[in-house]
Amino acid sequence: MKEIEFGAFFQDFIENNVNSKYKFDMFLREIESFQGIPDYIGVNIRDIGECKSFLTNVTEENWYTVSRILSILSKQKGHTVSFIEKKTGISENSLIKDLCFLQNRNILEQDRYGNYRLAENFVIPKLSISSFELKLENWKRALFQAIRYKTFSEFSYVVMPKEKITLLKKNFDFFKQSNIGIAVYDERKDTLETIYRATKNKNISKSHLYYMSGKIMFAYQNNVNVSSSISII
């Protein structure tokens, strides 16, 4: 069996097994993050209204830099261009263009000193993200990638075929120390068994989460590699 076939079996199980412990409002394949491209992402949405508002006001244009700007700003305190430049690493010329773009779309506003802050009505959707890295053989590589996805995921899992269960249990401590969940899928019985359930990750990067939240929303809007049980637009 090839990895693409294994992935298709896993995706079908998640999307169609109503009794699964892994239930999501959205399930997406290969969405780019700052840390690579996870095989699958499960998303639960806390407020559909926030998603609708986001997609009404924000575009995919320059999201790579725009998300970094938004992640360091707040509604309470304004910041100078030089502060934002230092924190984001974006060049001054590009930064000025992005700030003007965001201000024109009423996402940012300036205070009386000319400093930038988030507009009162702007929201980034609050998403609960679970990442899944699938591998047929190389558990070490899967673990390495799953750890990277913790920058934006509340839960991060490695999924391998059922016949690898002994190998995974033998190396259980590596996963537990890294707080990476382990699951094995049996394509013959169409079952997904959780060997280790990770605890909720609280060390999430705000900039990574903002970027990924936007990418998820744009994927939904464009209907790219996404299945959903809810309607936003």
Side-chain angles (χ1 to χ4, degrees), residues 131-208:
S131 297
F132 298 90
E133 186 64 25
L134 278 61
K135 283 287 185 289
L136 295 179
E137 299 287 345
N138 195 339
W139 69 268
K140 290 183 180 179
R141 180 64 181 171
L143 177 61
F144 170 76
Q145 291 175 291
I147 291 172
R148 289 167 62 87
Y149 303 146
K150 286 172 63 180
T151 56
F152 58 84
S153 304
E154 290 186 358
F155 301 94
S156 189
Y157 279 84
V158 166
V159 182
M160 297 189 74
K162 180 65 178 291
E163 52 265 31
K164 298 298 179 182
I165 190 169
T166 301
L167 175 66
L168 289 167
K169 286 183 175 180
K170 182 180 178 181
N171 294 285
F172 177 85
D173 288 344
F174 292 107
F175 290 86
K176 186 175 181 180
Q177 290 167 10
S178 302
N179 192 30
I180 298 298
I182 309 170
V184 292
Y185 177 71
D186 187 337
E187 75 276 8
R188 290 168 295 182
K189 297 181 180 180
D190 193 30
T191 57
L192 185 66
E193 180 183 352
T194 303
I195 306 303
Y196 174 64
R197 184 172 293 278
T199 59
K200 186 176 180 179
N201 173 34
K202 298 181 180 179
N203 298 314
I204 292 176
S205 163
K206 191 175 181 181
S207 63
H208 287 234

Side-chain angles (χ1 to χ4, degrees), residues 12-25:
D12 184 70
F13 174 87
I14 295 293
E15 292 176 348
N16 296 300
N17 194 318
V18 295
N19 296 318
S20 171
K21 296 178 181 178
Y22 302 93
K23 295 180 180 179
F24 304 107
D25 296 323

Side-chain angles (χ1 to χ4, degrees), residues 7 29 58 63-64 79 90 96 105 161 176 192 200 219 227:
R29 177 171 56 86
V58 182
W63 182 245
Y64 183 85
H79 290 293
I90 302 170
I96 294 297
R105 297 197 63 92
K176 186 175 181 180
L192 185 66
K200 186 176 180 179
S227 62

Side-chain angles (χ1 to χ4, degrees), residues 47 61 66 71 76 88 139 150 152 161 169 190 195 223:
D47 189 329
E61 182 181 354
V66 163
S71 71
Q76 290 74 37
T88 61
W139 69 268
K150 286 172 63 180
F152 58 84
K169 286 183 175 180
D190 193 30
I195 306 303
N223 195 26

Side-chain angles (χ1 to χ4, degrees), residues 12 48-50 53 55 70 93 112 122 134 190 200 202 230 232:
D12 184 70
I48 292 178
E50 290 181 349
S53 175
L55 289 174
L70 297 177
N93 288 339
R112 58 181 177 150
F122 176 72
L134 278 61
D190 193 30
K200 186 176 180 179
K202 298 181 180 179
I230 61 172
I232 296 175

